[in-house]
Amino acid sequence: MKKSTIEEIKERFDIEVERFSNIETEQLPTINAKISLEIITEASKKITPYAENLLDIGCGGGIFSQILCK
């Protein structure tokens, strides 16, 4: 198997970032994405109702953070 070059990895990553950063398509494979977002949002509001900052540690485009911070 041929090892990917840095440029190939970067190109593949950039394509995935675009896909995962699109709120309309990011969660299509996840059947319960809408429910998950609602649960996370409500739990976050109850745990820290006066939060001013949010740290999103993940491997996506930060879609959950964008929704939570609305």
Side-chain angles (χ1 to χ4, degrees), residues 5-45:
T5 67
I6 301 280
E7 284 304 313
E8 290 169 330
I9 294 168
K10 182 183 180 316
E11 182 179 326
R12 197 165 49 243
F13 179 80
D14 288 346
I15 290 168
E16 292 301 309
V17 167
E18 288 302 316
R19 182 171 68 92
F20 279 98
S21 295
N22 183 340
I23 197 165
E24 299 299 321
T25 60
E26 189 260 336
Q27 291 293 324
L28 286 180
T30 305
I31 294 170
N32 295 321
K34 185 172 192 246
I35 294 168
S36 296
L37 285 172
E38 289 172 3
I39 291 169
I40 292 168
T41 301
E42 291 308 311
S44 298
K45 287 178 184 177

